[in-house]
Amino acid sequence: MDKINIASALNEKYVPYTYTMLYSLLENHKEETRVRVFLLCNDLREDSKKKLEDLAKNYDSEIVFLTPDSSAFDSKMLEQGEWSIETLYRLQLFDLLPGNVDRILYLDGDMIINRDISQLYGMDFASSHLIVTHDMTMTPESGPVYGHLHSEHFNQMIRENRYFNAGMILMDARYLKEHYNLESYLRRAEELDYDIFAPDQDLLNDLHQDECKYIDALEYDLFACNAAGNGISYEKMKKDTVIVHYVGDKPWNAGDHLPYREEMLWWDYASRTIYAEEFLNQYLKDMISRSELYEAIQSVIDENAKIKRMIEDTLELTRKTLSMNSEKKSEDKKSEDKGSGEKESAGKISSSKDGGSSQREDIVPGFLPKGGIEEYLDQESHDDLDRDAVLELIREYLLEDMMHDYIERLREENADLKLAWQTVQKQFAEICEGMGVTE
């Protein structure tokens, strides 16, 4: 093969992330074959285009900008979900590609190409015309992730394990250009009465379901958020996985989701790009200013405090009930034994309460950067930015599982408290029943 052809779709907002994906691809490309990247876009600024072109030139590769016709898409195709028009651009790819492209690898911009893709690119299509991976969130085991949002037609495909993720597709471009074009997909969307939730992905699955060759998603389209659940550690992922896909929550966003260790792989590459300072500064600002994560943690703390109060109230009511019936010596003795055990339990609960904190700034000691970071970020210039130091902060945040460990302890305490409350309630009910006391 004389060239490796890559395609991706983006808008101006996604330039830094697509740049990072392409940097990871080109940095890991070891073969002498040149890489040619076709970017489907409409609104890129000239300076953004130049940055992408300069990146490619650094690796003796090239960028080709393709301009889709946004007006060609029916607005009904985007009605069921929060999708941008760019997600539909790949449906117009075969109309825009030059005739000398025989195969092309489509990649989403929220990926990291962690190994050389030459082997993937050279795979034999055999009798198929697309090489894909199963969508890791929509399998017979997981069930249809979109549920009622997907029609029964697509849910059935998922149950039969015939639904692929459109973020990584190796395409037999010569064959597909001869048999499909944008009109093919528009016509099929109309036939389905636009009952498509993931518009481009649904249509690609529908039209090409019998033309696919499936390869291992854990190697070629690993959803980073599902890695741990599939027994893949961060270290193993970094060493062996070819393509890592950051579906859902994005690693460059801080404070709006619980981070996970696999996000660090994205940072390993992003920190070496021309956007590193922009990424790092925004991440630190988000860590400090965004409230969603704090609110989620605080809700667990508040619930724990509420359960503790309920336990203490029930124990106090138990003690009052026993005191009111002190004349019944035999029953008093039995009740005192139970009360002794309950007081011991209450002491443990009180100890647990003392060890917790309802102060928001103490939620995770050492989690947020201290020492005037807010003032530093407000400076007009960041020429003195110590990227290694900031990256190490993020690495510590992600890899040492500080947040995970803390929240897990809160959840464990929550479960223990609920169990303790149930036990105290049961004991109180037994005491009342034994003494003939009714509420």
Side-chain angles (χ1 to χ4, degrees):
M1 53 188 171
D2 59 341
K3 289 182 181 178
I4 288 181
N5 297 302
I6 304 295
S8 192
L10 72 159
N11 55 25
E12 178 62 32
K13 179 182 177 181
Y14 233 70
V15 168
Y17 316 121
T18 302
Y19 184 104
T20 301
M21 181 274 287
L22 293 175
Y23 167 77
S24 68
L25 184 153
L26 295 169
E27 182 69 13
N28 287 308
H29 181 56
K30 306 304 180 186
E31 301 292 330
E32 294 184 1
T33 309
R34 295 185 67 200
V35 175
R36 177 170 55 175
V37 181
F38 294 94
L39 293 179
L40 298 152
C41 53
N42 256 317
D43 68 340
L44 299 199
R45 301 194 309 261
E46 289 304 313
D47 62 318
S48 294
K49 289 182 177 181
K50 187 175 186 309
K51 289 175 182 177
L52 291 162
E53 290 172 333
D54 288 346
L55 171 66
K57 289 177 183 177
N58 289 339
Y59 294 90
D60 192 27
S61 299
E62 64 176 311
I63 299 284
V64 178
F65 295 101
L66 302 178
T67 305
D69 179 6
S70 298
S71 66
F73 298 101
D74 194 306
S75 61
K76 294 179 182 178
M77 298 175 72
L78 297 172
E79 286 181 351
Q80 291 206 44
E82 297 180 359
W83 312 101
S84 67
I85 189 67
E86 286 79 20
T87 195
L88 297 175
Y89 283 174
R90 76 193 78 189
L91 302 180
Q92 208 170 128
L93 180 61
F94 305 134
D95 301 74
L96 300 173
L97 282 176
N100 62 347
V101 177
D102 59 348
R103 61 172 59 202
I104 192 165
L105 176 62
Y106 185 91
L107 298 169
D108 275 351
D110 57 353
M111 290 177 157
I112 287 296
I113 314 306
N114 189 49
R115 314 292 293 177
D116 191 348
I117 49 93
S118 298
Q119 183 177 354
L120 166 62
Y121 190 82
M123 283 186 177
D124 184 7
F125 283 106
S127 58
S128 64
H129 300 290
L130 295 87
I131 294 180
V132 297
T133 67
H134 290 104
D135 190 302
M136 292 187 66
T137 62
M138 290 183 276
T139 65
E141 293 75 26
S142 68
V145 70
Y146 295 138
H148 69 282
L149 298 174
H150 250 154
S151 68
E152 178 57 25
H153 172 67
F154 292 107
N155 285 337
Q156 183 62 30
M157 290 177 63
I158 293 167
R159 286 192 289 268
E160 295 174 358
N161 210 24
R162 295 186 296 111
Y163 191 90
F164 60 84
N165 177 256
M168 188 292 295
I169 309 177
L170 181 62
M171 302 175 175
D172 180 354
R174 192 173 301 280
Y175 171 87
L176 295 172
K177 280 176 63 68
E178 293 177 0
H179 294 83
Y180 298 93
N181 55 24
L182 176 60
E183 183 58 33
S184 307
Y185 300 106
L186 297 179
R187 184 168 55 250
R188 185 54 181 155
E190 185 177 8
E191 291 171 355
L192 291 169
D193 197 23
Y194 301 98
D195 194 4
I196 45 177
F197 182 72
D200 59 313
Q201 184 164 286
D202 282 353
L203 289 172
L204 288 165
N205 271 275
D206 181 82
L207 265 71
H208 303 295
Q209 58 182 293
D210 297 322
E211 300 176 319
C212 295
K213 174 181 177 180
Y214 283 86
I215 56 177
D216 187 5
L218 298 182
E219 184 174 3
Y220 293 107
D221 192 7
L222 173 64
F223 289 7
C225 56
N226 296 122
N230 284 275
I232 300 175
S233 66
Y234 165 76
E235 292 75 17
K236 179 175 175 56
M237 183 186 77
K238 186 172 182 178
K239 178 177 178 291
D240 298 329
T241 305
V242 178
I243 299 176
V244 179
H245 197 171
Y246 291 93
V247 298
D249 296 322
K250 305 306 180 189
W252 53 84
N253 290 334
D256 66 345
H257 68 281
L258 181 61
Y260 49 96
R261 301 180 77 235
E262 291 73 18
E263 291 184 349
M264 195 60 223
L265 184 68
W266 186 86
W267 281 101
D268 285 340
Y269 289 95
S271 63
R272 289 178 266 158
T273 71
I274 61 174
Y275 291 99
E277 183 173 333
E278 177 183 327
F279 290 148
L280 292 170
N281 281 326
Q282 187 59 51
Y283 195 84
L284 287 176
K285 286 183 178 179
D286 288 347
M287 286 170 69
I288 293 168
S289 62
R290 302 198 66 158
S291 62
E292 294 96 324
L293 186 57
Y294 291 104
E295 291 168 357
I297 297 173
Q298 191 64 47
S299 68
V300 180
I301 293 175
D302 292 343
E303 183 179 11
N304 286 0
K306 180 180 178 181
I307 297 174
K308 290 174 186 176
R309 290 194 299 270
M310 292 165 64
I311 291 173
E312 291 168 353
D313 290 345
T314 304
L315 288 173
E316 180 61 26
L317 185 58
T318 300
R319 284 191 286 270
K320 288 181 178 179
T321 301
L322 291 173
S323 176
M324 289 171 58
N325 291 273
S326 59
E327 70 277 5
K328 299 179 181 179
K329 293 184 179 180
S330 59
E331 293 182 1
D332 283 351
K333 182 64 172 65
K334 180 178 179 182
S335 299
E336 287 170 6
D337 291 340
K338 291 184 177 180
S340 175
E342 292 158 6
K343 290 175 183 178
E344 181 180 350
S345 173
K348 293 179 180 178
I349 293 167
S350 177
S351 174
S352 171
K353 183 177 181 180
D354 292 340
S357 172
S358 61
Q359 298 299 314
R360 176 168 162 173
E361 60 268 25
D362 296 327
I363 281 180
V364 186
F367 159 54
L368 290 179
K370 303 297 182 183
I373 287 292
E374 294 94 332
E375 297 177 5
Y376 169 76
L377 290 174
D378 287 337
Q379 296 175 8
E380 293 183 3
S381 173
H382 298 96
D383 294 337
D384 61 335
L385 177 69
D386 186 343
R387 293 186 184 182
D388 291 339
V390 177
L391 184 62
E392 186 57 34
L393 173 68
I394 295 175
R395 184 184 300 277
E396 178 180 316
Y397 172 50
L398 295 176
L399 295 188
E400 290 192 2
D401 292 326
M402 192 181 298
M403 290 295 292
H404 294 78
D405 291 346
Y406 182 76
I407 292 176
E408 189 60 31
R409 288 198 302 273
L410 282 177
R411 287 173 174 163
E412 288 175 357
E413 180 186 14
N414 184 270
D416 290 342
L417 285 169
K418 288 180 178 178
L419 181 61
W421 183 43
Q422 292 172 359
T423 301
V424 169
Q425 281 187 306
K426 181 179 179 182
Q427 290 177 342
F428 176 66
E430 290 174 349
I431 290 172
C432 291
E433 182 179 357
M435 299 174 65
V437 177
T438 58
E439 296 185 11

